[in-house]
Amino acid sequence: MKKSELYRIEVAPLLILPLGKSPLFSYLSKDPIAPGSLVAISFGKRSLEGVVFGVAPLPGKAPIWMKYISKIVREKSLTPSQLALALFMSEEYFTSLGKVLKHFLPKYILPKKKETSLSTSTEIVRLGKSDNEILETFLAMKSGSISYLQTSSLSDFDAFLVKLTKKLATKKEQTLVIVPEIILLPALETLFARYFPQEKIALVQSKLSDGLYSKNWERIRSGEASIVLSTRQGLFAPFQNLGAVIVLEEQDESYKQWTMSPRYDARNVAKALVRESHVKLIFTSGIPSIESLSSLKKEEYSLLHPLTLSPPLLASLQIVNLRLERFRKNYSPLSQELITALQETMNHKEQALLYIHRQGMDAFSVCENCKNIFRCPKSGHVLSSTKEGTFKCLGCHYTTDSFPGCPQCGHLTFRHVGFGTERIEREIKKLFPGARVFRADGATMRTEKNIQKFHTDVSSGNVDILIGTQMVIKGQTLPKLSLIGMIDTDSLLSFPDFRADEKLFQTLTRFVVQDTKSQEMCSKRRVIVQTFHPESTFFQRIGSLDSKAFGERILAEREDLFYPPFSRLISIISQGKTEEESLKNAKKIGQNIETLLTERHIRHRLSIPNEAKKNIGKKIFTCRTLIRIPKEKSLPEDLQVFLEKIDMTFIIDIDPLSFL
């Protein structure tokens, strides 16, 4: 760059600003400042920090209004790929660039003097011929390509991961391995520590101390770490020479950030990262998501090995009708069949896993007379009770009369049912006082210490009965696992989510084909599924359809109903201090969008709410307006502009997980 007297520096302040206008502000500097540098600036009457996005010589005199950069906090804090990814996320997820950039700038703690490590690795990893051919196929693919690999296609998936990272490390390239849950990281770290020196492995996850997080961040920046094991936060790391991104358990919904902005999907951001960094991406899973099946069908992903066909599941499951349990006056969350099976498992000194979906605390209603689940006559979803004494459908807003009766027998009394991990733990300890019980859920897995304890206890076999939510089926398998009990199947099927059937199918398939070192344990494994609704369409399907037929059936239904992956789902959440205010705002936004899409002749389906709900623990009401439009690489320009101009009190959620 030619030497100039003054330079114009384009800076993005680390501040939440309205969308629709340029997020960059011009400042002066006597010297050029590299893009990606963190600088201190004066913004109005405030002093804050910002990130440099551009620099150019300033022709002529400086305008009076233009201020000077206060100081350079840290040069080249962000890489060019990080800057591009931040811009993508800001535009894609309608979030202020200043807020997005904070994901790329963790708390910086000056690293201590580098310590000399004496750790060595002596183990050699070997692959079978078939696994090695799959590896070579992936390595031969061009940069920016997206591949798909079903883990059951490999004889040793762990060895495949290690061999792939070793191949890239020899070329001084870094590998990013992403997992959906923190609970999966200890086992991965143990695996790679057998083959790589510890200083070559960097962990990135929210439970790390600020000092260790900052240290690992800088090791990634310097290129010292060649293997990065992380949750979705690792996507924002300052890679020196990234070679490949591996997304494990790609079907998992935990990749979606849904509690705060930007409400991004890590799988979508991973695609953007490989485009910006010109590297390869590989999605892996034991059971492909419907979205991945669609992408494979459209040849958007390259399949590294033909998908493994799973036979109809019903023959591998024992279905327990909980209505019969209630007739027998058994109101425990554990059926008699499951209690007997647990006793047999304990007698044989084997292990059991009791699974409860994360929505297991949500209540549904059962008729006290005929034990029928109270369902919506339109959508089939369970009905939820309201404060007015009526029942409503959260999917289609159907509402009953003030004194509803059971559609099967006319009875007027209903029992609310809900099972949670803590209640199951109490029941188990009461029934089996000598059993070693471990409960793994969001409450018990909050700290790094507890996560490490889980890994240690499970890997060493110090657990007799493991109780948990979906995180327990993603990690390592209990070495002597012979019994799996799905406590509350209906909590997943009844949730107003068009993906409910798919999620339950994936869970049950995972139970049936779950990996184990012992073929003897695998062959004698029992899977007991408890449900109030054994006659449901879902159980009929899994009894007659293999995995390919099931996927094709779901895809056909999604296409008919104009659901993802055949449409793009957008949620606009309005907020208000009163129910009337929230509802009024939602309806106004919905009507404006309806007019816009109709005038532009864009195929769409719009769902405008007719009531608001109060946020638990907050004094605000919210309403959700849902839009479905054709799935394209980018939103229609007019819709993009409209959403950018929406008041900041509205929350825009791209690709929400459900209709709630």
Side-chain angles (χ1 to χ4, degrees), residues 387 576-584 610-613 621 623:
K387 59 184 178 182
K577 294 181 180 178
T578 65
E579 188 173 359
E580 292 75 19
E581 180 187 356
S582 176
L583 190 57
K584 180 182 177 181
N610 54 26
E611 61 181 342
K613 67 176 183 178
F621 290 82
C623 279

Side-chain angles (χ1 to χ4, degrees), residues 301-340:
Y301 299 171
S302 299
L303 189 59
L304 295 177
H305 189 276
L307 296 177
T308 303
L309 191 68
S310 298
L313 291 177
L314 202 57
S316 304
L317 309 175
Q318 180 183 344
I319 309 295
V320 176
N321 187 346
L322 289 180
R323 283 182 287 178
L324 295 178
E325 293 295 310
R326 300 303 179 257
F327 274 121
R328 297 167 185 159
K329 306 299 181 185
N330 176 16
Y331 295 106
S332 166
L334 305 176
S335 64
Q336 191 55 54
E337 287 91 335
L338 183 54
I339 293 172
T340 302

Side-chain angles (χ1 to χ4, degrees), residues 252-460:
D252 198 285
E253 63 182 25
S254 297
Y255 281 119
K256 170 70 176 178
Q257 166 66 277
W258 58 274
T259 56
M260 63 183 73
S261 297
R263 286 170 161 75
Y264 66 94
D265 190 313
R267 293 159 292 198
N268 195 30
V269 175
K271 294 177 187 178
L273 174 62
V274 299
R275 287 196 302 268
E276 300 298 341
S277 303
H278 307 291
V279 299
K280 302 166 189 173
L281 170 64
I282 178 169
F283 286 119
T284 75
S285 172
I287 309 98
S289 65
I290 294 299
E291 282 76 9
S292 291
L293 289 176
S294 176
S295 295
L296 288 169
K297 206 170 183 179
K298 296 175 184 176
E299 298 184 350
E300 295 171 349
Y301 299 171
S302 299
L303 189 59
L304 295 177
H305 189 276
L307 296 177
T308 303
L309 191 68
S310 298
L313 291 177
L314 202 57
S316 304
L317 309 175
Q318 180 183 344
I319 309 295
V320 176
N321 187 346
L322 289 180
R323 283 182 287 178
L324 295 178
E325 293 295 310
R326 300 303 179 257
F327 274 121
R328 297 167 185 159
K329 306 299 181 185
N330 176 16
Y331 295 106
S332 166
L334 305 176
S335 64
Q336 191 55 54
E337 287 91 335
L338 183 54
I339 293 172
T340 302
L342 282 167
Q343 187 63 65
E344 293 173 356
T345 302
M346 296 297 99
N347 292 341
H348 290 93
K349 300 189 181 304
E350 295 167 350
Q351 296 168 306
L353 165 64
L354 300 181
Y355 171 83
I356 308 168
H357 186 251
R358 65 166 56 182
Q359 303 293 339
M361 289 300 293
D362 288 348
F364 56 94
S365 300
V366 179
C367 174
E368 287 198 344
N369 182 49
C370 70
K371 308 303 182 279
N372 182 62
I373 297 176
F374 202 12
R375 293 181 177 273
C376 174
K378 294 181 179 179
S379 67
H381 292 309
V382 296
L383 295 176
S384 299
S385 58
T386 67
K387 59 184 178 182
E388 291 82 14
T390 60
F391 291 80
K392 68 176 182 180
C393 175
L394 299 177
C396 69
H397 303 299
Y398 165 82
T399 305
T400 67
D401 296 330
S402 298
F403 299 98
C406 174
Q408 295 290 329
C409 68
H411 198 71
L412 297 175
T413 309
F414 299 89
R415 178 185 294 272
H416 301 299
V417 182
F419 303 138
T421 51
E422 292 183 50
R423 182 181 173 189
I424 301 301
E425 183 183 27
R426 287 196 298 268
E427 292 277 344
I428 288 297
K429 287 184 175 179
K430 196 183 301 179
L431 290 167
F432 307 99
R436 295 170 297 178
V437 181
F438 196 108
R439 175 166 61 90
D441 55 21
T444 60
M445 295 289 105
R446 287 178 180 170
T447 65
E448 176 71 16
K449 181 180 179 181
N450 286 350
I451 293 170
Q452 192 60 51
K453 181 177 179 356
F454 171 81
H455 169 67
T456 303
D457 286 356
V458 170
S459 58
S460 60

Side-chain angles (χ1 to χ4, degrees), residues 43 61 100 117 151 154 191 213 283 301 329 348 416 435 460 510 515 532 564 588 633 647 658:
F43 192 83
K61 294 184 178 180
V100 172
S117 173
T151 54
L154 300 166
L191 169 67
Y213 197 108
F283 286 119
Y301 299 171
K329 306 299 181 185
H348 290 93
H416 301 299
S460 60
R510 184 67 175 267
D515 297 332
F532 279 96
K588 184 178 179 180
K633 289 186 177 179
D647 188 273
S658 71

Side-chain angles (χ1 to χ4, degrees), residues 57-169:
L58 183 72
K61 294 184 178 180
I64 298 176
W65 54 265
M66 196 177 289
K67 301 177 182 179
Y68 278 87
I69 295 288
S70 301
K71 69 173 181 178
I72 299 174
V73 178
R74 198 159 60 252
E75 281 193 302
K76 297 182 180 180
S77 185
L78 272 66
T79 66
S81 292
Q82 285 179 297
L83 295 177
L85 191 62
L87 285 169
F88 163 80
M89 290 182 64
S90 175
E91 181 178 341
E92 180 77 359
Y93 296 103
F94 296 93
T95 304
S96 173
L97 180 59
K99 187 169 186 178
V100 172
L101 284 169
K102 291 182 179 181
H103 286 71
F104 296 81
L105 294 164
K107 185 176 180 180
Y108 183 75
I109 297 177
L110 189 65
K112 295 180 181 179
K113 186 177 179 181
K114 186 176 178 181
E115 299 175 359
T116 304
S117 173
L118 300 176
S119 60
T120 58
S121 175
T122 57
E123 289 199 43
I124 299 173
V125 61
R126 291 184 174 84
L127 291 182
K129 182 179 179 181
S130 176
D131 290 4
N132 197 63
E133 288 175 354
I134 294 173
L135 175 61
E136 293 301 326
T137 300
F138 174 71
L139 292 173
M141 301 193 75
K142 62 181 182 180
S143 298
S145 62
I146 303 175
S147 305
Y148 193 92
L149 179 62
Q150 191 176 15
T151 54
S152 55
S153 304
L154 300 166
S155 57
D156 191 336
F157 181 65
D158 288 351
F160 177 86
L161 279 181
V162 173
K163 190 73 172 180
L164 172 56
T165 53
K166 275 187 170 291
K167 287 271 189 180
L168 295 175

